[in-house]
Amino acid sequence: MVELAFSILAADFAHLADEIALATAGGGSIVHVDVMDGHFVPNITFGPPVVAAIRPVTELPLDCHLMIEDPDQFIPAFAKAGADMVSVHVEVCRHLHRTLQHIADNGMAAGVVLNPATPVEAVCEVLPMVHHVLVMSVNPGFGGQKFLPRSVERIAHLARLRRELGLNFRIEVDGGIAHDTVASVVEAGAEMLVAGSAIFQRGRTEANAQEFLRVARAAGGPKA
Ligand code: DX5
Ligand code: ZN
């Protein structure tokens, strides 16, 4: 089942609760929270206090995408703040297996993230223990960037591995996903669709979300 994970990075931070309500009314079913530390990526956003602030205003799962150097140190704080899913970049985790276990031990669904230049094979060994794999379709750090077309083959590659290994992790995609790119990633096998600027721009959040999901659902999943 395809789902819209709307990224609040593109929302009006002064009215986060209203923005979340509008995206939810349009059919969004996951809140995607982009956490950046100014080290792993050249931008700074928000952390556990903002997660704790939005926890009471939505019943949707909070999906925290950690773009930070030392995720292990902050995992308990995200759990305490009310995060449901936490994903970490394979590029920063020296002990990836331990970090994913740490997330699960804190009661959250663990995900692993691949930058565009990281081979899909880098996560093969942890696929049985993750809830989702997030394929970055832009270089992380900013919203509103152009979709990298090679991401489609990377998603298809993961979907093939999932089938061959008999696993059921979910495939998430993030970056430049909009009405014109969403069908290609759904056809390749992505189901958790992160979108920020496509949803929150132009003051039509609810309609943008509806239209985005209509296009995503019209696309077929991967061919067996
Ligand atoms: C980028 C973030 C994305 C970003 C996507 O580093 O991980 O989640 O918000 O924004 P759009 O949908 O505008 O590409
Ligand atoms: Zn993200």
Side-chain angles (χ1 to χ4, degrees):
M1 195 200 40
V2 298
E3 289 190 81
L4 166 59
F6 53 87
S7 167
I8 57 170
L9 184 61
D12 176 355
F13 294 162
H15 301 102
L16 264 186
D18 298 342
E19 294 275 76
I20 290 170
L22 287 169
T24 306
S29 49
I30 298 169
V31 185
H32 185 81
V33 182
D34 286 305
V35 179
M36 306 187 189
D37 67 350
H39 290 277
F40 177 58
V41 289
N43 197 6
I44 298 177
T45 55
F46 30 67
V50 170
V51 175
I54 61 178
R55 179 66 289 173
V57 307
T58 179
E59 289 178 0
L60 297 184
L62 305 181
D63 170 29
C64 297
H65 173 194
L66 305 192
M67 287 161 274
I68 64 178
E69 286 286 350
D70 186 6
D72 292 65
Q73 195 186 337
F74 296 98
I75 286 164
F78 280 98
K80 191 156 179 268
D84 299 278
M85 306 179 215
V86 162
S87 56
V88 293
H89 274 260
V90 58
E91 299 85 8
V92 297
C93 293
R94 191 175 288 173
H95 301 289
L96 179 61
H97 186 285
R98 178 187 286 152
T99 301
L100 294 168
Q101 190 59 53
H102 191 32
I103 296 169
D105 289 346
N106 275 271
M108 301 177 291
V112 64
V113 194
L114 290 157
N115 270 343
T118 304
V120 168
E121 287 80 4
V123 297
C124 276
E125 295 301 327
V126 297
L127 291 177
M129 69 189 297
V130 294
H131 170 267
H132 59 286
V133 178
L134 169 50
V135 176
M136 288 306 299
S137 39
V138 297
N139 285 292
F142 303 94
Q145 301 182 79
K146 202 169 158 340
F147 177 75
L148 298 170
R150 174 138 178 78
S151 314
V152 174
E153 171 48 29
R154 290 163 60 71
I155 292 164
H157 183 169
L158 260 176
R160 277 197 304 276
L161 277 175
R162 180 170 60 182
R163 212 166 39 241
E164 284 164 17
L165 299 171
L167 296 171
N168 56 12
F169 60 84
R170 302 189 76 196
I171 301 177
E172 184 173 30
V173 62
D174 183 5
I177 306 299
H179 308 77
D180 56 340
T181 49
V182 71
S184 65
V185 296
V186 170
E187 279 159 17
E191 308 136 313
M192 291 167 65
L193 311 168
V194 178
S197 40
I199 304 302
F200 290 105
Q201 298 293 304
R202 302 184 301 273
R204 308 174 59 243
T205 297
E206 185 174 344
N208 288 340
Q210 278 170 350
E211 175 64 8
F212 179 97
L213 278 166
R214 191 188 63 71
V215 177
R217 289 184 178 136
K223 294 175 188 59

